[in-house]
């Protein structure tokens, strides 16, 4: 078989270990791998990875030393052209022209939407791997990149706490998560934040002010509020101005972490998850599966139809919200 691998959408730390696992597992099973650069955009431009010998096939050496590298050597993008039917037809024709039998897309919900559209026009197999920092896909406990993004955000929170404590201030820290509170909730819990604002729970300004006043009375000198970029009330700037307007008892500063969370050396958890799922994706293709995402639920590796992975909002564990509230004392 000739198997194509590509990364698409927002990059995530751990995509490289996943590419490495796809390439090495396929080669170990005597299959060929072509690397498609720049996601669907690159596919439409026949932008293939070229190995050290100048051939458009990936070798075991093409992925040497990738476990510890952030970003993705295949690069990533978001393609407007691929969203059109003409673009999808062109992509299917290109896959046929290059005799590609199967694909492993590594990405998030947009990537898997694209895979579903492509499969209507192309009869090759597609088994995806969940590569996104957002952890918003159903069918896997964690997505590749989430653990590193949380670690980066927690490092930032730890540093901000030092200066907040010195100046007796409050920080409102915005983390990524377009529609999901996962990064915010895990960051807040690990970083000992007093308040978290996420799209899954209502952000109630009078209630937050009330809690802040009580914390001040109990002698708290510094406060950390973590807000998800997708919070229904808006991001950190909006939350800060709402709190100031409601007579916030602490002096405040805002920090938006943004794309910082997408970079850096992948945490061991993301390296292992990327490796396990990349290997499982190849085994699944060789076992005849298609139209599914490889994921890990508990200690089992499982396959979930693409439509199910993005069909519903993945709920955050509500018990973590309660624990966070109990810790803020
Ligand atoms: O989906 C991953 C993500 O990092 C989101 O958390 C964020 O909203 C978005 O990508 C940012 O996308 P871009 O790279 O286009 O700025």
């Amino acid at each position: 078989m000739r198997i194509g691998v590509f990364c698409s959408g927002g990059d995530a730390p751990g995509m490289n270990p996943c590419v490495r696992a796809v390439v090495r597992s396929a080669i170990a099973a005597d299959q060929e791998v072509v690397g498609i650069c720049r996601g669907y955009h690159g596919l439409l431009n026949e932008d293939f990875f070229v190995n050290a010998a100048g051939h458009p096939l990936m070798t075991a050496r093409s992925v040497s030393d990738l476990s510890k590298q952030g970003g993705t050597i295949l690069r990533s993008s978001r393609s407007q052209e691929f969203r059109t039917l003409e673009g999808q037809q062109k992509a299917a024709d290109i896959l046929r022209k290059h005799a590609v039998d199967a694909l492993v897309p590594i990405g998030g919900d947009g990537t898997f939407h694209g895979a579903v559209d492509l499969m209507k026009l192309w009869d090759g197999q597609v088994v995806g791997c969940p590569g996104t920092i957002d952890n918003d896909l159903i069918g896997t406990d964690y997505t590749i990149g989430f653990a590193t993004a949380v670690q980066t955000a927690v490092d930032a929170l730890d540093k901000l706490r030092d200066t907040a404590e010195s100046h007796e201030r409050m920080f409102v820290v915005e983390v990524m998560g377009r529609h999901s509170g996962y990064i915010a909730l895990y960051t807040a819990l690990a970083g000992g934040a007093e308040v978290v604002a996420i799209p899954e729970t209502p952000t109630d300004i009078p209630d937050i002010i009330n809690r802040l006043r009580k914390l001040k009375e109990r002698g708290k000198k510094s406060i950390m509020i973590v807000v998800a970029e997708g919070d229904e009330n808006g991001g950190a700037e909006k939350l800060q101005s709402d709190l100031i307007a409601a007579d916030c008892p602490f002096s405040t500063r805002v920090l938006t972490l943004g794309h910082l969370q997408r970079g850096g050396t992948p945490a061991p958890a993301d390296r292992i998850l990327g490796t396990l799922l990349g290997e499982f994706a190849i085994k699944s293709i060789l076992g005849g599966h298609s139209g599914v995402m490889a994921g890990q639920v508990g200690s089992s590796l499982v396959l979930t139809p693409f439509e199910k992975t993005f069909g519903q909002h993945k709920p955050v564990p509500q018990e973590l919200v309660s624990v966070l509230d109990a810790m803020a004392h």
Side-chain angles (χ1 to χ4, degrees):
M1 284 179 98
R2 177 171 290 179
I3 301 171
V5 58
F6 65 92
C7 299
S8 170
D11 64 342
M15 278 182 162
N16 269 333
C18 188
V19 170
R20 172 177 175 268
V22 167
V23 171
R24 292 204 171 160
S25 310
I27 291 172
D30 290 325
Q31 313 301 326
E32 282 184 356
V33 185
V34 288
I36 298 163
C37 299
R38 301 175 180 83
Y40 291 113
H41 175 77
L43 175 59
L44 290 169
N45 290 288
E46 300 179 66
D47 185 359
F48 294 106
F49 180 93
V50 178
N51 67 28
H55 299 300
L57 279 185
M58 296 192 83
T59 69
R61 294 287 71 76
S62 308
V63 292
S64 289
D65 216 19
L66 272 197
S67 290
K68 60 180 165 58
Q69 284 186 35
T72 160
I73 57 157
L74 292 180
R75 305 187 190 277
S76 193
S77 69
R78 302 187 199 274
S79 169
Q80 283 307 322
E81 187 185 357
F82 186 75
R83 286 169 199 249
T84 66
L85 184 59
E86 295 72 36
Q88 291 153 17
Q89 270 158 348
K90 184 174 161 192
D93 288 342
I94 289 169
L95 289 170
R96 280 188 281 270
K97 174 177 157 195
H98 290 276
V100 175
D101 301 295
L103 283 176
V104 181
I106 306 169
D109 57 342
T111 304
F112 298 156
H113 263 287
V116 169
D117 291 336
L118 185 61
M119 289 181 70
K120 292 177 191 147
L121 304 164
W122 175 68
D123 59 7
Q125 290 169 255
V126 188
V127 176
C129 290
T132 165
I133 63 167
D134 288 357
N135 200 31
D136 57 350
L137 292 167
I138 289 175
T140 191
D141 289 342
Y142 299 107
T143 54
I144 300 162
F146 173 69
T148 311
V150 170
Q151 184 178 298
T152 300
V154 171
D155 285 349
L157 228 65
D158 290 348
K159 292 190 168 96
L160 289 172
R161 179 69 85 173
D162 291 344
T163 172
E165 203 47 38
S166 305
H167 285 267
E168 302 182 50
R169 271 177 184 158
M170 180 173 98
F171 272 85
V172 183
V173 184
E174 182 178 309
V175 296
M176 275 189 165
R178 208 179 344 210
H179 308 294
S180 172
Y182 256 98
I183 298 176
L185 183 55
Y186 274 61
T187 299
L189 199 55
E194 283 74 19
V195 178
V196 68
I198 52 175
E200 291 82 357
T201 58
T203 299
D204 179 342
I205 304 295
D207 176 61
I208 296 175
I209 292 288
N210 220 1
R211 280 152 60 195
L212 292 176
R213 289 211 177 104
K214 283 194 185 133
L215 290 168
K216 187 146 197 163
E217 278 162 23
R218 284 191 215 116
K220 273 269 182 189
K221 299 284 182 255
S222 67
I223 298 287
M224 290 289 146
I225 297 186
V226 180
V227 54
E229 66 169 320
D231 186 48
E232 80 289 353
N233 182 65
E237 299 273 358
K238 170 75 167 44
L239 185 56
Q240 184 199 35
S241 66
D242 286 356
L243 292 173
I244 291 172
D247 200 17
C248 180
F250 290 92
S251 143
T252 68
R253 293 289 186 274
V254 162
L255 180 72
T256 299
L257 292 180
H259 294 79
L260 189 78
Q261 298 153 95
R262 293 230 301 251
T265 302
D270 282 327
R271 300 184 196 197
I272 292 169
L273 186 63
T275 303
L276 289 179
L277 296 186
E279 206 248 353
F280 183 49
I282 293 300
K283 274 201 182 125
S284 303
I285 285 174
L286 298 178
H289 296 278
S290 187
V292 289
M293 179 194 83
Q296 185 171 29
V297 175
S299 55
S300 306
L301 299 182
V302 297
L303 297 173
T304 304
F306 285 133
E307 291 89 341
K308 248 186 130 174
T309 65
F310 54 71
Q312 281 179 351
H313 186 81
K314 179 175 177 172
V316 295
Q318 282 300 322
E319 62 277 17
L320 296 193
V321 181
S322 313
V323 173
L324 185 106
D325 288 345
M327 290 301 110
H329 215 70

